[in-house]
Amino acid sequence: MNGSAISESEVSDLQYNHLQARSPSVSIDLPRRRPLTALRILRGLLCLTVLLLTAFMTLTYWAPLTTLLLRLFSIHYSRKATSFLFGLWLALWPFLFEKINRTKVVFSGDTVPARERVLLMANHRTEVDWMYLWDLALRKGRQGYIKYVLKSSLMKLPIFGWGFHVFEFIPVERKWEIDEPIMRQMLSMFTDPQDPLWLAVFPEGTDFTEQKCQRNQKFAAENGLPILKNVLLPKTKGFHASVEMLRSSLDAVYDITIGYKYRCPSFMDNVFGVDPEEVHMHVQRFSINELPTSETEASDWLMDRFLLKDKLLSDFAANGCFPHEGTEGDLSTTKCLLNFILVIALTSICTFLTLFSSVWFKIYVVFSCVYLATATHFKIRVPPIFSFLTTSFTSKKSR
């Protein structure tokens, strides 16, 4: 090399390319791209503390007002208020990923319109895939309207579980006979076209590992199904139910393929900022009218999409990128900082009121915690009682 030194990044690239030449799978586990130093640990713990404190104060002070009091009058305005207030908090995560951790997020494929009601389906590489969908949603002003189908055990997480309930995430046991009535009941609440919606599903049902992939391939071989290397076989019933229930109010389905260059991150990798170096998301948009209506045809369509997704990920592993990059710009640092300052200011005020002001604020926080814990555990959602009374009164008067 003419005596010149090779940079650490170039060494990693050479390792990556060498391993990819040996195996096309994207499951390569290279060393962390950034060292886990004491400073990164301290910064990560500080960030996690800030996220937990801001989440706690946002939930305890605003959730009873938006999801209890306002919901008594209108589900639509309850959701708008909830989405706005808690969307401010959700925007902290892309700020952490892209501005503090300096993770490069690259979008490719189709350009995403900003004002559509959509179903998002994505591959499930690791435990934090769903968090990176917030990066796309924030760019479209939809971070407060994104809802996930997620495993029910996550609803038991302290504080975060309350947030999942407030956002109306759909908890599932991953057993269709149990999940079907829950999903259909929840989906029936999302059919109002006036309510913005980004519903995210992961048809694989679990995150990708080599062990799961091998079991999946064995099952596929025994049942005459496609052998996939980079994704698992999709579970079709939940996807079809979502499309069937929401078809009349959806604009499109976004097929999102997520690839991590060099190494898949864990949650704590994200917190400490050691990984990932780059996250790539390839978006393909399908008008809702393009999706078949019957369950069999919808299953075949989904399987075809995962076959193409598998090929796309193999190409990504070989090339280090998806085709047609650059469909979305970078986040505005100024807007991210202003949002961060606003959330911190609101949290500081709420903390001061709780600790140093009237005892009534302490009582309110205790009431909020009891309400959120109870509502989350028993899956309680207040019906719009006064809306019904108003409608009934108006109906009688018109007679």
Side-chain angles (χ1 to χ4, degrees), residues 246-275:
L246 300 174
R247 179 180 289 274
S248 62
S249 63
L250 287 181
D251 296 303
V253 172
Y254 297 163
D255 181 7
I256 300 178
T257 303
I258 304 173
Y260 297 96
K261 194 171 180 181
Y262 308 117
R263 188 176 185 272
C264 287
S266 67
F267 176 74
M268 295 311 295
D269 287 337
N270 269 319
V271 170
F272 295 133
V274 294
D275 269 309

Short mmCIF file of all heavy atoms in Angstrom, two decimals, residues 246-275:
data_model
loop_
_atom_site.label_atom_id
_atom_site.label_comp_id
_atom_site.label_asym_id
_atom_site.label_seq_id
_atom_site.Cartn_x
_atom_site.Cartn_y
_atom_site.Cartn_z
N LEU A 246 -58.55 -3.32 7.96
CA LEU A 246 -58.25 -1.91 7.74
C LEU A 246 -58.30 -1.49 6.28
O LEU A 246 -58.09 -0.32 5.96
CB LEU A 246 -56.87 -1.58 8.31
CG LEU A 246 -56.67 -1.81 9.81
CD1 LEU A 246 -55.22 -1.59 10.19
CD2 LEU A 246 -57.58 -0.91 10.63
N ARG A 247 -58.59 -2.42 5.39
CA ARG A 247 -58.49 -2.15 3.97
C ARG A 247 -59.26 -0.89 3.56
O ARG A 247 -58.77 -0.07 2.78
CB ARG A 247 -59.01 -3.34 3.16
CG ARG A 247 -58.98 -3.14 1.65
CD ARG A 247 -59.52 -4.35 0.92
NE ARG A 247 -58.62 -5.48 1.01
CZ ARG A 247 -57.61 -5.69 0.17
NH1 ARG A 247 -57.36 -4.81 -0.80
NH2 ARG A 247 -56.84 -6.75 0.30
N SER A 248 -60.45 -0.70 4.07
CA SER A 248 -61.31 0.42 3.64
C SER A 248 -60.76 1.77 4.06
O SER A 248 -61.16 2.80 3.51
CB SER A 248 -62.73 0.25 4.17
OG SER A 248 -62.73 0.24 5.59
N SER A 249 -59.84 1.79 5.05
CA SER A 249 -59.32 3.07 5.55
C SER A 249 -57.84 3.27 5.30
O SER A 249 -57.29 4.31 5.65
CB SER A 249 -59.61 3.21 7.05
OG SER A 249 -58.94 2.21 7.79
N LEU A 250 -57.16 2.27 4.72
CA LEU A 250 -55.72 2.39 4.44
C LEU A 250 -55.48 2.96 3.05
O LEU A 250 -56.28 2.75 2.14
CB LEU A 250 -55.03 1.02 4.55
CG LEU A 250 -54.84 0.41 5.94
CD1 LEU A 250 -54.12 -0.93 5.80
CD2 LEU A 250 -54.07 1.34 6.86
N ASP A 251 -54.35 3.64 2.92
CA ASP A 251 -53.91 4.11 1.61
C ASP A 251 -52.91 3.17 0.97
O ASP A 251 -52.92 2.98 -0.25
CB ASP A 251 -53.27 5.50 1.74
CG ASP A 251 -54.27 6.55 2.20
OD1 ASP A 251 -55.28 6.72 1.53
OD2 ASP A 251 -54.01 7.17 3.25
N ALA A 252 -52.03 2.58 1.80
CA ALA A 252 -50.94 1.79 1.21
C ALA A 252 -50.34 0.85 2.24
O ALA A 252 -50.59 0.95 3.45
CB ALA A 252 -49.86 2.73 0.67
N VAL A 253 -49.54 -0.08 1.73
CA VAL A 253 -48.70 -0.95 2.54
C VAL A 253 -47.25 -0.64 2.18
O VAL A 253 -46.90 -0.58 0.99
CB VAL A 253 -49.00 -2.44 2.28
CG1 VAL A 253 -47.97 -3.33 2.98
CG2 VAL A 253 -50.41 -2.79 2.76
N TYR A 254 -46.41 -0.41 3.20
CA TYR A 254 -44.98 -0.17 2.97
C TYR A 254 -44.22 -1.43 3.38
O TYR A 254 -44.27 -1.85 4.54
CB TYR A 254 -44.46 1.00 3.81
CG TYR A 254 -45.07 2.34 3.50
CD1 TYR A 254 -44.94 3.39 4.41
CD2 TYR A 254 -45.78 2.57 2.32
CE1 TYR A 254 -45.48 4.65 4.13
CE2 TYR A 254 -46.33 3.81 2.05
CZ TYR A 254 -46.19 4.84 2.96
OH TYR A 254 -46.74 6.08 2.70
N ASP A 255 -43.53 -2.03 2.41
CA ASP A 255 -42.67 -3.18 2.69
C ASP A 255 -41.27 -2.64 2.97
O ASP A 255 -40.60 -2.13 2.08
CB ASP A 255 -42.67 -4.12 1.48
CG ASP A 255 -41.82 -5.35 1.73
OD1 ASP A 255 -41.34 -5.54 2.86
OD2 ASP A 255 -41.61 -6.12 0.77
N ILE A 256 -40.83 -2.75 4.22
CA ILE A 256 -39.55 -2.17 4.64
C ILE A 256 -38.56 -3.29 4.93
O ILE A 256 -38.84 -4.21 5.70
CB ILE A 256 -39.74 -1.28 5.88
CG1 ILE A 256 -40.71 -0.14 5.56
CG2 ILE A 256 -38.39 -0.74 6.38
CD1 ILE A 256 -41.00 0.78 6.72
N THR A 257 -37.41 -3.21 4.29
CA THR A 257 -36.33 -4.17 4.52
C THR A 257 -35.21 -3.46 5.26
O THR A 257 -34.70 -2.44 4.80
CB THR A 257 -35.81 -4.74 3.19
OG1 THR A 257 -36.90 -5.33 2.47
CG2 THR A 257 -34.75 -5.80 3.44
N ILE A 258 -34.86 -3.99 6.42
CA ILE A 258 -33.86 -3.36 7.29
C ILE A 258 -32.57 -4.17 7.23
O ILE A 258 -32.58 -5.39 7.43
CB ILE A 258 -34.36 -3.26 8.74
CG1 ILE A 258 -35.70 -2.52 8.80
CG2 ILE A 258 -33.32 -2.58 9.63
CD1 ILE A 258 -36.34 -2.51 10.17
N GLY A 259 -31.48 -3.49 6.96
CA GLY A 259 -30.17 -4.13 6.95
C GLY A 259 -29.19 -3.35 7.81
O GLY A 259 -29.21 -2.12 7.81
N TYR A 260 -28.35 -4.07 8.55
CA TYR A 260 -27.33 -3.44 9.40
C TYR A 260 -25.96 -3.74 8.80
O TYR A 260 -25.61 -4.91 8.62
CB TYR A 260 -27.40 -3.98 10.83
CG TYR A 260 -28.71 -3.67 11.51
CD1 TYR A 260 -29.74 -4.61 11.52
CD2 TYR A 260 -28.93 -2.44 12.12
CE1 TYR A 260 -30.95 -4.33 12.13
CE2 TYR A 260 -30.13 -2.15 12.74
CZ TYR A 260 -31.14 -3.10 12.73
OH TYR A 260 -32.34 -2.82 13.33
N LYS A 261 -25.24 -2.69 8.50
CA LYS A 261 -23.90 -2.90 7.95
C LYS A 261 -22.92 -3.19 9.09
O LYS A 261 -22.91 -2.47 10.10
CB LYS A 261 -23.46 -1.66 7.16
CG LYS A 261 -22.26 -1.91 6.27
CD LYS A 261 -22.00 -0.72 5.35
CE LYS A 261 -20.80 -0.99 4.45
NZ LYS A 261 -20.52 0.16 3.56
N TYR A 262 -22.15 -4.24 8.93
CA TYR A 262 -21.12 -4.69 9.85
C TYR A 262 -21.68 -5.54 10.99
O TYR A 262 -21.26 -6.65 11.19
CB TYR A 262 -20.32 -3.51 10.45
CG TYR A 262 -19.75 -2.59 9.41
CD1 TYR A 262 -20.15 -1.26 9.35
CD2 TYR A 262 -18.83 -3.05 8.47
CE1 TYR A 262 -19.64 -0.41 8.38
CE2 TYR A 262 -18.32 -2.20 7.51
CZ TYR A 262 -18.73 -0.89 7.46
OH TYR A 262 -18.23 -0.05 6.50
N ARG A 263 -22.67 -5.03 11.77
CA ARG A 263 -23.05 -5.78 12.97
C ARG A 263 -24.46 -5.39 13.42
O ARG A 263 -24.82 -4.22 13.40
CB ARG A 263 -22.06 -5.48 14.10
CG ARG A 263 -22.22 -6.32 15.36
CD ARG A 263 -21.11 -5.99 16.34
NE ARG A 263 -21.16 -6.84 17.51
CZ ARG A 263 -21.87 -6.55 18.60
NH1 ARG A 263 -22.59 -5.44 18.64
NH2 ARG A 263 -21.86 -7.37 19.63
N CYS A 264 -25.25 -6.40 13.81
CA CYS A 264 -26.58 -6.12 14.33
C CYS A 264 -26.48 -5.62 15.77
O CYS A 264 -25.75 -6.20 16.58
CB CYS A 264 -27.44 -7.39 14.29
SG CYS A 264 -27.98 -7.84 12.64
N PRO A 265 -27.21 -4.57 16.12
CA PRO A 265 -27.11 -4.03 17.47
C PRO A 265 -28.11 -4.67 18.43
O PRO A 265 -29.14 -5.20 18.04
CB PRO A 265 -27.46 -2.56 17.25
CG PRO A 265 -28.48 -2.61 16.14
CD PRO A 265 -28.06 -3.74 15.24
N SER A 266 -27.77 -4.61 19.70
CA SER A 266 -28.72 -4.92 20.77
C SER A 266 -29.24 -3.60 21.34
O SER A 266 -28.77 -2.51 20.96
CB SER A 266 -28.03 -5.72 21.88
OG SER A 266 -27.05 -4.91 22.53
N PHE A 267 -30.17 -3.67 22.26
CA PHE A 267 -30.70 -2.45 22.88
C PHE A 267 -29.59 -1.68 23.60
O PHE A 267 -29.47 -0.46 23.47
CB PHE A 267 -31.82 -2.80 23.86
CG PHE A 267 -32.36 -1.61 24.61
CD1 PHE A 267 -33.18 -0.69 23.98
CD2 PHE A 267 -32.02 -1.40 25.94
CE1 PHE A 267 -33.67 0.42 24.66
CE2 PHE A 267 -32.50 -0.30 26.63
CZ PHE A 267 -33.33 0.61 25.99
N MET A 268 -28.75 -2.41 24.34
CA MET A 268 -27.70 -1.74 25.09
C MET A 268 -26.60 -1.20 24.16
O MET A 268 -25.95 -0.20 24.49
CB MET A 268 -27.09 -2.68 26.14
CG MET A 268 -28.07 -3.07 27.23
SD MET A 268 -28.97 -1.67 27.98
CE MET A 268 -27.65 -0.77 28.77
N ASP A 269 -26.40 -1.83 23.02
CA ASP A 269 -25.48 -1.25 22.02
C ASP A 269 -25.96 0.13 21.61
O ASP A 269 -25.17 1.07 21.45
CB ASP A 269 -25.41 -2.14 20.77
CG ASP A 269 -24.62 -3.42 21.01
OD1 ASP A 269 -23.79 -3.44 21.93
OD2 ASP A 269 -24.85 -4.39 20.27
N ASN A 270 -27.27 0.26 21.44
CA ASN A 270 -27.85 1.56 21.08
C ASN A 270 -27.68 2.56 22.21
O ASN A 270 -27.38 3.74 21.99
CB ASN A 270 -29.34 1.40 20.79
CG ASN A 270 -29.62 1.12 19.33
OD1 ASN A 270 -29.00 1.72 18.46
ND2 ASN A 270 -30.52 0.20 19.04
N VAL A 271 -27.93 2.11 23.43
CA VAL A 271 -27.82 3.01 24.58
C VAL A 271 -26.40 3.55 24.72
O VAL A 271 -26.18 4.75 24.92
CB VAL A 271 -28.26 2.29 25.87
CG1 VAL A 271 -27.92 3.13 27.11
CG2 VAL A 271 -29.75 2.00 25.83
N PHE A 272 -25.40 2.66 24.61
CA PHE A 272 -24.01 3.07 24.80
C PHE A 272 -23.38 3.65 23.54
O PHE A 272 -22.27 4.17 23.58
CB PHE A 272 -23.17 1.89 25.30
CG PHE A 272 -23.57 1.41 26.66
CD1 PHE A 272 -23.75 0.06 26.91
CD2 PHE A 272 -23.78 2.30 27.70
CE1 PHE A 272 -24.11 -0.40 28.16
CE2 PHE A 272 -24.15 1.86 28.96
CZ PHE A 272 -24.31 0.50 29.20
N GLY A 273 -24.07 3.54 22.41
CA GLY A 273 -23.57 4.14 21.18
C GLY A 273 -22.42 3.41 20.54
O GLY A 273 -21.65 4.01 19.78
N VAL A 274 -22.28 2.10 20.79
CA VAL A 274 -21.17 1.34 20.20
C VAL A 274 -21.56 0.73 18.85
O VAL A 274 -20.70 0.42 18.03
CB VAL A 274 -20.67 0.24 21.16
CG1 VAL A 274 -20.04 0.85 22.39
CG2 VAL A 274 -21.79 -0.72 21.55
N ASP A 275 -22.84 0.53 18.63
CA ASP A 275 -23.37 -0.01 17.39
C ASP A 275 -24.81 0.45 17.25
O ASP A 275 -25.45 0.81 18.25
CB ASP A 275 -23.31 -1.55 17.37
CG ASP A 275 -22.04 -2.09 16.77
OD1 ASP A 275 -21.69 -1.66 15.65
OD2 ASP A 275 -21.39 -2.93 17.41
#
